[in-house]
């Protein structure tokens, strides 16, 4: 055997070609000298070594910088890498469990063992959730399905939210906002803004007759139902009509009645309330027993369309779409007066704000449709709406919100949102009424 003197370069046989790795008669691993960058891996070879930047870093191994899109490996990815990485070129040992990671690198909520067929749910840290393991052939547990945290909104809550959205979240003091309890039901006592008027309601929010009180007094209201333990789950985009709701419609010379059952029409219950096959004229009668229906007006009437009554001043207002006039008279037909006979093409609906003495009417003018207003004496006439409108027909006034609402026959389904949600098919509205429900 050839002796080797480590003090003399080239005196150790073939190893003389590698003086840097032979020191004091023994082989030296150059990676122990830490010549590579701290974020690099050193690989020792015969007579040399190599440096390679770690995953997520770029460079030549001696200088490494972090890649811009680098994300530190998660616990799940590190676990998979340790079992499937370069250290195991032939794959994992048979029967070994390999965790599954989601697109973010976290533990997938459902984990299954490929060899045994068992499946179970895990936490975000990869720990098995007790009681979720299922055996082969028993199906997979439902993992990662969140429990419902919020019940569907009730009728009261939907109504309240719609009004808050309408008022941009800041209703004025005089606006009515329904009050709901913790379960979403109507509170038995309802009050109208700062007006001081209060009343009792039933479970559907309808006012109970005889309970409305003047400012300064509060009615004694009792709950109509016990708090429910379960609630239905209607579609959130449908406002289901309450029990007792019905549609009144005009068709030719008759007025019809059509009950609603949720969002469905009860056609078998539909009937005609009033049918008139008589000349164009107005009639009146009293509410006394054996009252006689008497004609009030029949001359110079061609096609009376809209009718409104001022019960305070005992005055009748109507529109005539053939003569293009708006007229008025006393309730007995006397003192007939023409309010307007110019700038009208096809006057249709008419309504009145009795308290403030304002008239509102629609003009079904296909070239320039509009809604106008004036005082009841015909003064201060002006256009109220003339844009984004088609064929305004039905018209009503809500004294509580101080708003007018109209139906537009120029747009299919052109009713207010509350009515449109109660019907599951398009409509061409031609009439509209303001109804108040009593117990």
């Amino acid at each position: 055997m050839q002796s080797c003197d480590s003090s003399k370069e080239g005196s150790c046989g073939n190893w003389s070609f590698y003086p840097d790795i032979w020191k004091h008669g023994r082989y030296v691993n150059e990676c122990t000298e830490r010549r590579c960058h701290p974020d690099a891996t050193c690989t020792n070879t015969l007579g040399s070594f190599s440096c390679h930047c770690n995953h997520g870093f770029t460079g030549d191994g001696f200088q490494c910088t972090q890649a811009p899109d680098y994300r530190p490996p998660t616990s799940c990815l590190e676990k998979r890498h340790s079992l499937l990485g370069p250290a195991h070129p032939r794959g994992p040992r048979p029967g070994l469990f390999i965790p599954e990671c989601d697109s973010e690198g976290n533990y997938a909520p459902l984990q299954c063992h490929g060899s045994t067929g068992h499946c179970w749910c895990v936490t975000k840290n990869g720990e098995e959730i007790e009681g979720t393991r299922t055996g082969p052939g028993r199906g997979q547990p439902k993992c990662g399905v969140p429990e419902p945290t919020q019940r569907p909104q009730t009728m009261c809550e939907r109504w309240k939210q719609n009004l808050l959205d309408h008022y941009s979240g800041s209703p004025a003091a005089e606006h009515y906002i329904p009050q709901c309890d913790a379960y979403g039901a109507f509170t038995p006592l309802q009050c109208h803004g700062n007006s001081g008027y209060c009343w009792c309601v039933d479970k559907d929010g309808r006012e109970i007759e005889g309970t409305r009180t003047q400012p300064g007094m509060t009615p004694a209201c009792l709950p109509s139902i016990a708090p429910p333990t379960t609630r239905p789950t209607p579609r959130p985009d449908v406002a289901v009509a309450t029990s007792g709701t019905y549609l009144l419609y005009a068709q030719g010379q008759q007025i019809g009645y059509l009950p609603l059952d949720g969002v469905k029409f009860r056609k078998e219950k539909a009937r005609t309330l009033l049918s008139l096959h008589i000349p164009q004229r107005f009639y009146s009668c009293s509410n006394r027993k054996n009252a006689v229906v008497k004609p009030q007006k029949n001359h110079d009437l061609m096609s009376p369309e809209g009718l409104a009554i001022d019960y305070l001043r005992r005055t009748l207002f109507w529109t005539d779409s053939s003569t293009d006039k708006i007229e008025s008279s006393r309730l007995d037909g006397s003192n007939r007066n023409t309010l307007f006979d110019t700038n009208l093409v096809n006057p249709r609906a008419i309504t009145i704000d009795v308290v403030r003495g304002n008239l509102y009417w629609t003009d079904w003018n296909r070239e320039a449709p509009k809604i106008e207003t004036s005082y009841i004496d015909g003064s201060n006439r002006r256009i109220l709406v003339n844009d984004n409108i088609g064929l305004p027909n039905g018209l009503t006034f809500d004294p509580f919100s101080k708003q007018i609402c109209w139906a537009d026959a120029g747009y299919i389904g052109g009713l207010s949102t509350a009515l449109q949600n109660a019907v599951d098919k398009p409509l061409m509205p031609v009439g509209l009424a303001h109804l108040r429900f009593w117990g």
Side-chain angles (χ1 to χ4, degrees):
M1 176 180 296
Q2 183 179 2
S3 62
C4 181
D5 184 359
S6 60
S7 63
K8 295 182 180 180
E9 183 174 320
S11 64
C12 297
N14 291 335
W15 294 105
S16 61
F17 295 102
Y18 311 103
D20 294 338
I21 64 170
W22 188 265
K23 294 183 179 180
H24 307 293
R26 60 188 179 87
Y27 176 75
V28 176
N29 184 352
E30 293 175 279
C31 286
T32 60
E33 298 180 2
R34 300 182 178 179
R35 300 183 184 182
C36 299
H37 191 269
D39 292 318
T41 300
C42 179
T43 303
N44 188 65
T45 59
L46 184 63
S48 183
F49 66 96
S50 61
C51 299
H52 300 280
C53 293
N54 295 332
H55 176 69
F57 294 83
T58 59
D60 58 3
F62 296 95
Q63 293 294 328
C64 298
T65 57
Q66 185 171 309
D69 58 347
Y70 171 72
R71 289 191 306 175
T74 61
S75 173
C76 183
L77 292 176
E78 287 182 339
K79 183 70 173 178
R80 287 182 61 86
H81 183 74
S82 65
L83 298 173
L84 301 174
H88 304 277
R90 296 183 179 181
R93 177 171 52 87
L96 193 65
F97 167 68
I98 307 297
E100 292 293 330
C101 309
D102 60 18
S103 58
E104 299 296 326
N106 301 315
Y107 286 96
L110 175 66
Q111 298 288 332
C112 293
H113 197 297
S115 299
T116 66
H118 285 83
C119 295
W120 60 92
C121 302
V122 298
T123 65
K124 62 179 181 179
N125 297 323
E127 300 173 353
E128 181 177 348
I129 299 176
E130 185 177 358
T132 61
R133 182 179 287 265
T134 59
R138 298 180 55 188
Q140 298 178 346
K142 294 182 179 181
C143 306
V145 179
E147 294 294 330
T149 58
Q150 187 176 6
R151 56 171 173 76
Q153 283 190 321
T154 63
M155 181 193 305
C156 181
E157 291 168 334
R158 292 197 301 270
W159 185 9
K160 180 178 181 178
Q161 188 60 50
N162 287 339
L163 289 177
L164 290 176
D165 293 342
H166 176 72
Y167 297 126
S168 301
S170 301
E174 67 271 12
H175 291 150
Y176 169 69
I177 302 295
Q179 292 95 51
C180 314
D181 62 18
Y183 298 96
F186 289 95
T187 58
L189 175 66
Q190 298 283 324
C191 295
H192 187 277
N194 64 354
S195 67
Y197 288 93
C198 296
W199 59 92
C200 303
V201 298
D202 61 14
K203 62 183 180 64
D204 297 317
R206 294 180 293 191
E207 182 175 347
I208 299 176
E209 184 178 4
T211 61
R212 183 176 288 260
T213 58
Q214 301 292 326
M217 300 178 61
T218 302
C221 304
L222 298 177
S224 57
I225 56 172
T229 56
T230 59
R231 294 189 174 274
T233 56
R235 283 173 46 191
D237 59 332
V238 175
V240 180
T242 60
S243 176
T245 302
Y246 55 87
L247 291 178
L248 290 178
Y249 63 92
Q251 184 176 15
Q253 291 182 316
Q254 68 179 18
I255 297 176
Y257 164 94
L258 180 60
L260 296 177
D261 182 8
V263 296
K264 297 180 180 179
F265 295 119
R266 300 186 62 183
K267 298 180 180 180
E268 73 282 0
K269 298 290 185 179
R271 67 178 187 269
T272 300
L273 292 181
L274 182 63
S275 181
L276 298 176
H277 299 285
I278 52 180
Q280 303 282 15
R281 60 181 66 184
F282 294 146
Y283 289 79
S284 69
C285 68
S286 68
N287 59 0
R288 292 174 295 181
K289 187 176 182 180
N290 300 324
V292 177
V293 179
K294 299 180 298 182
Q296 292 297 317
K297 292 286 179 184
N298 62 356
H299 58 280
D300 299 331
L301 284 177
M302 298 295 293
S303 181
E305 297 277 358
L307 185 68
I309 297 177
D310 183 347
Y311 57 85
L312 290 181
R313 302 167 184 84
R314 303 187 62 80
T315 305
L316 184 70
F317 299 88
W318 69 90
T319 63
D320 194 317
S321 60
S322 291
T323 62
D324 297 334
K325 291 181 180 181
I326 297 178
E327 299 182 77
S328 67
S329 73
R330 302 292 293 174
L331 293 183
D332 60 3
S334 63
N335 297 334
R336 181 173 176 178
N337 178 42
T338 299
L339 295 178
F340 305 108
D341 58 2
T342 60
N343 296 323
L344 290 173
V345 175
N346 196 355
R348 300 296 291 266
I350 187 168
T351 189
I352 184 172
D353 177 0
V354 176
V355 176
R356 297 166 186 80
N358 293 326
L359 275 178
Y360 304 93
W361 64 91
T362 66
D363 190 347
W364 189 325
N365 181 354
R366 295 182 180 273
E367 301 299 327
K370 62 182 181 293
I371 298 176
E372 293 187 272
T373 182
S374 74
Y375 295 149
I376 58 174
D377 61 1
S379 63
N380 195 28
R381 178 183 178 181
R382 61 195 184 280
I383 295 177
L384 197 62
V385 180
N386 63 353
D387 57 347
N388 294 325
I389 194 170
L391 298 175
N393 196 61
L395 185 69
T396 188
F397 174 76
D398 181 6
F400 289 101
S401 65
K402 304 181 183 63
Q403 293 180 330
I404 62 169
C405 304
W406 65 91
D408 197 326
Y411 296 104
I412 298 298
L415 290 177
S416 65
T417 302
L419 183 56
Q420 189 175 6
N421 284 344
V423 183
D424 59 357
K425 59 182 66 177
L427 297 174
M428 180 173 287
V430 294
L432 192 65
H434 176 254
L435 301 179
R436 286 190 55 76
F437 291 95
W438 302 90

